[in-house]
Amino acid sequence: MMSKCDKPATKERLLDAAHQLMLAKGFTATTVDQICSAAEVTKGCFFHYFKGKEDLARAALERVFEYKNRMFAEAPFRQFPDPLDRVYGYVDLVIEMSQSKMAQQGCLLGNFAMELSDTHENMRVTCANFFMKWTESFQADLDQAKAQEAPDADFDTFSLAEHFIAVLEGAFILAKSRRDMKVVKESLQHFKGYLRSLFGK
């Protein structure tokens, strides 16, 4: 017979609770007891799935990353025949997502990187790896657009993809300090304008 701890919904509740609490309070201020209470599970169930809070945080990041990968892979802009239109579609989708209610609490990956990079080496490396995967994913779209629209241009697509992430994450910091998500939308629209200047269309 499957125990309560073995039910898939139990693990999902823990991940949901950790995600929400760590976005709201930060990694350090969120305790295992608080996560278990919010998820309505015992600490025994917590340790059935996770070695500790860092293990849970990494799993939460992995889940977010996989979810967003699926969202972008299945987004309508993927059907555009022109690779540059797909790049613009990518940015437009991020703009749309940034204005959602959930986005108001910021980016879990960015929050962890800011909070933990100087104190939790394993989490710093984890965050760096996720940022690298994100960069390489967007770079693949930029590579296709550059090959078709600007093959002789001297900009580097990897650096450009990193610049996009820097603009987005920096805009989230400004938005949180001002309690106004409009700055994220405006910053990404500026980035889109920069892309148009690079590609000439």
Side-chain angles (χ1 to χ4, degrees):
M1 177 180 293
M2 181 180 291
S3 71
K4 182 178 179 180
C5 290
D6 287 325
K7 293 180 180 179
T10 301
K11 184 177 182 180
E12 289 303 306
R13 288 206 307 273
L14 284 165
L15 288 166
D16 287 341
H19 191 148
Q20 292 302 316
L21 286 168
M22 290 179 181
L23 273 178
K25 298 162 61 70
F27 174 89
T28 303
T30 299
T31 67
V32 171
D33 284 337
Q34 290 168 343
I35 294 168
C36 291
S37 177
E40 298 182 335
V41 303
T42 66
K43 288 181 74 172
C45 284
F46 177 95
F47 289 108
H48 176 77
Y49 287 107
F50 305 106
K51 296 177 182 177
K53 195 167 67 169
E54 280 195 22
D55 189 36
L56 173 59
R58 284 191 292 271
L61 284 177
E62 183 68 43
R63 190 176 67 154
V64 170
F65 193 78
E66 290 177 355
Y67 170 76
K68 290 186 176 179
N69 274 349
R70 288 194 303 272
M71 178 181 292
F72 280 94
E74 298 169 2
F77 75 81
R78 286 293 173 201
Q79 304 305 314
F80 297 162
D82 187 328
L84 184 55
D85 286 340
R86 293 197 294 272
V87 167
Y88 292 145
Y90 184 107
V91 177
D92 287 340
L93 180 56
V94 176
I95 291 173
E96 179 183 341
M97 292 168 60
S98 75
Q99 301 307 293
S100 69
K101 184 176 180 180
M102 185 174 182
Q104 293 177 11
Q105 292 182 298
C107 167
L108 190 65
L109 176 57
N111 289 3
F112 282 172
M114 287 289 294
E115 180 185 0
L116 303 174
S117 290
D118 291 333
T119 56
H120 293 69
E121 177 63 12
N122 288 338
M123 286 300 296
R124 182 197 67 77
V125 172
T126 295
C127 290
N129 287 340
F130 277 112
F131 275 125
M132 179 63 71
K133 290 178 181 179
W134 186 4
T135 302
E136 291 173 344
S137 175
F138 188 38
Q139 181 191 14
D141 289 317
L142 291 169
D143 282 341
Q144 294 176 23
K146 186 175 186 295
Q148 178 167 307
E149 303 292 344
D152 298 324
D154 62 0
F155 65 85
D156 177 71
T157 55
F158 180 85
S159 179
L160 183 58
E162 280 198 318
H163 178 53
F164 167 74
I165 295 172
V167 169
L168 176 59
E169 295 295 338
F172 270 125
I173 293 173
L174 287 175
K176 290 182 75 172
S177 70
R178 287 165 45 178
R179 297 191 184 279
D180 183 2
M181 293 302 291
K182 185 170 64 176
V183 69
V184 180
K185 180 178 181 179
E186 292 172 345
S187 295
L188 292 178
Q189 286 173 334
H190 282 305
F191 177 81
K192 190 174 178 181
Y194 177 55
L195 285 178
R196 292 193 186 282
S197 72
L198 290 177
F199 286 100
K201 61 183 293 189

